[in-house]
Amino acid sequence: MGICFRGGGLSSEMGKMAAVVNSMATLAAEPGEDAFRKLFRFYRQSRPGTADLGGVIDFSAAHAARGTGPAAHKVVRSQLSVSSVSEHDLRRAGLQPVSKWRAYGLEGYPGFIFIPNPFLPGYQWHWVKQCLKFYSQKPNVCNLDKHMTKEETQDLWEQSKEFLRYKEVNKRRPRSLLEKLRWVTLGYHYNWDSKKYSADHYTPFPSDLAFLSEQVATACGFQGFQAEAGILNYYRLDSTLGIHVDKSELDHSKPLLSFSFGQSAIFLLGGLNRDEAPTAMFMHSGDIMVMSGFSRLLNHAVPRVLPNPEGESLPHCLETPLPAVLPRDSVVEPCSVEDWQVCASYLKTARVNMTVRQVLATDQDFPLESMEEKKRHITTKSFCHLDDQNSKVKRARVNSDS
């Protein structure tokens, strides 16, 4: 069902869009720059609080549902499978009943679903803590492994928590290891250089994240989804995620699930090639994106993490604490005040994104590799695909096919 403009908001929204077009027109194209790269550069340099962000879709705002927001002609309502998931199982994962979710799609992007924060109040705390305290632990793989020994990266949380707890007291201190974290891989570990998964590079996938992912996938109509690989991205305010396509999984019929926590960011969703200008949208804390079918193979990127307009503070949805009493069979675990102090300190200037994928189709196996390929995988050094503007890693090396 399409969403149409209503009332007198059309002229003001068209004015916003015109201001954005005028701002982009002043941005001179670089030699050989395609439409996606130009918009990526525009939003990377954008100024919050100005007309620069007037063309970014905000699915969480009330006007997105009414159809009076920027680019609202593209926004459509998405149908969910309300009866396929029990409210009890959803609550176990910290989610509201599906009947209370709002789900949207975009015309021209079949298979794309955007669900603005469907989490129960306080339950985001668990997933933030898991990303920072538990998923970052060995045997999972992270970007720091390239420069440090396993002993040095054994428990990033323990090594960082005191730094983060007193972060505001000493802002000139060196970054903690958690603040240097850029990515973690779970389950089948993605090889950034070969752009492949392999059977012999695997560690057990977290059972709580698998359960959360299965509930969301089922609610979106994907019965039998199996969470087999995860890539967690840890963004600072100066981080970007380069233009890429997620096509390394062997079964593209399964969806890719994306969960965001912390500071907001701009997400760009483009076409099959970079000559097509992408659509910009906000990702706020708790938002979930599902990419399946046609949208599964589209170019996308994150050009900008947005600082909170109220200064170094948390999004309002993270201010509500996790309930003291949880369901007996909940996959969500209690979060102590001390642990949340560390998480909150981190998230005031950062965001975390979890992407979950099914790598293999049912009863499918990895293709056999030649000995030469295995040797190359063993000797290859991986690099961080999440780019910091202050990083020594050159932009040209940002992963383009995660």
Side-chain angles (χ1 to χ4, degrees):
M1 178 177 66
I3 298 181
C4 303
F5 286 114
R6 293 182 188 171
L10 179 56
S11 59
S12 63
E13 297 303 334
M14 290 183 68
K16 290 181 183 178
M17 294 299 291
V20 174
V21 172
N22 290 335
S23 297
M24 288 188 61
T26 63
L27 189 69
E30 295 180 344
E33 187 175 44
D34 54 57
F36 199 126
R37 173 58 63 181
K38 182 175 182 180
L39 207 59
F40 181 97
R41 191 159 58 90
F42 171 77
Y43 282 116
R44 193 182 73 216
Q45 300 171 8
S46 61
R47 299 156 298 167
T50 70
D52 287 357
L53 304 185
V56 184
I57 296 173
D58 191 346
F59 289 104
S60 67
H63 64 237
R66 292 200 307 268
T68 58
H73 63 284
K74 288 187 175 182
V75 178
V76 296
R77 293 299 294 263
S78 291
Q79 298 298 317
L80 298 173
S81 185
V82 176
S83 61
S84 62
V85 189
S86 72
E87 291 189 14
H88 176 76
D89 282 343
L90 290 165
R91 186 168 185 80
R92 289 179 61 198
L95 295 166
Q96 299 180 49
V98 177
S99 59
K100 294 185 177 181
W101 296 11
R102 290 174 294 128
Y104 303 101
L106 293 170
E107 288 185 0
Y109 299 95
F112 175 77
I113 302 173
F114 195 107
I115 306 168
N117 185 14
F119 288 91
L120 290 164
Y123 278 79
Q124 289 186 51
W125 280 29
H126 169 82
W127 300 107
V128 171
K129 183 188 71 172
Q130 294 298 88
C131 289
L132 296 177
K133 185 174 183 178
F134 294 108
Y135 298 159
S136 62
Q137 291 186 13
K138 293 290 166 275
N140 297 327
V141 181
C142 73
N143 62 291
L144 299 178
D145 296 337
K146 179 182 177 182
H147 308 287
M148 304 173 69
T149 66
K150 286 187 177 180
E151 290 72 27
E152 290 174 316
T153 60
Q154 189 63 37
D155 196 334
L156 303 181
W157 174 271
E158 284 299 321
Q159 296 186 61
S160 305
K161 63 182 184 181
E162 293 307 315
F163 286 93
L164 286 166
R165 193 168 286 150
Y166 300 107
K167 176 180 175 181
E168 295 179 6
V169 177
N170 183 12
K171 292 189 176 183
R172 299 186 66 181
R173 58 161 181 78
R175 282 184 176 179
S176 63
L177 289 180
L178 269 181
E179 291 169 295
K180 295 179 180 179
L181 194 62
R182 291 296 171 267
W183 55 261
V184 168
T185 53
L186 314 170
Y188 288 116
H189 297 285
Y190 186 72
N191 184 307
W192 301 107
D193 293 307
S194 67
K195 298 178 173 59
K196 292 181 179 179
Y197 300 94
S198 61
D200 58 356
H201 198 194
Y202 175 84
T203 55
F205 194 92
S207 59
D208 58 346
L209 181 53
F211 185 78
L212 170 70
S213 302
E214 289 158 12
Q215 306 315 304
V216 173
T218 302
C220 292
F222 298 96
Q223 301 280 350
F225 176 82
Q226 296 180 12
E228 296 177 328
I231 299 178
L232 313 183
N233 284 326
Y234 299 78
Y235 295 77
R236 308 304 301 173
L237 291 179
D238 57 0
S239 299
T240 64
L241 180 63
I243 307 167
H244 67 284
V245 176
D246 293 287
K247 61 182 181 181
S248 296
E249 292 72 34
L250 276 66
D251 182 8
H252 292 158
S253 68
K254 304 300 181 183
L256 181 149
L257 311 179
S258 170
F259 304 86
S260 293
F261 303 105
Q263 300 302 321
S264 299
I266 297 173
F267 179 77
L268 298 179
L269 182 61
L272 294 173
N273 63 70
R274 298 187 185 186
D275 291 331
E276 298 179 46
T279 298
M281 62 200 80
F282 290 113
M283 289 188 296
H284 300 303
S285 192
D287 289 350
I288 300 175
M289 289 193 309
V290 180
M291 298 172 70
S292 66
F294 176 78
S295 74
R296 186 72 168 73
L297 299 177
L298 298 180
N299 285 283
H300 52 278
V302 178
R304 185 73 190 271
V305 178
L306 298 167
N308 194 310
E310 300 175 8
E312 291 191 8
S313 59
L314 292 176
H316 294 308
C317 63
L318 291 174
E319 295 174 352
T320 303
L322 184 67
V325 179
L326 301 170
R328 183 175 300 177
D329 56 353
S330 175
V331 302
V332 174
E333 299 176 350
C335 181
S336 68
V337 173
E338 292 77 14
D339 281 356
W340 184 248
Q341 285 178 343
V342 177
C343 294
S345 176
Y346 177 90
L347 285 186
K348 285 178 180 179
T349 55
R351 73 178 287 262
V352 179
N353 177 256
M354 311 187 300
T355 58
V356 181
R357 309 112 187 278
Q358 178 170 333
V359 176
L360 300 168
T362 305
D363 299 325
Q364 184 182 21
D365 294 319
F366 285 98
L368 294 176
E369 288 185 321
S370 66
M371 288 302 296
E372 289 75 14
E373 285 179 313
K374 286 188 176 182
K375 288 179 182 177
R376 185 165 65 250
H377 290 175
I378 292 172
T379 57
T380 295
K381 297 284 188 180
S382 64
F383 58 82
C384 175
H385 75 303
L386 186 63
D387 190 24
D388 254 344
Q389 291 182 6
N390 297 325
S391 172
K392 295 179 181 179
V393 179
K394 293 182 179 179
R395 250 178 228 290
R397 298 184 67 191
V398 175
N399 177 55
S400 61
D401 182 24
S402 61

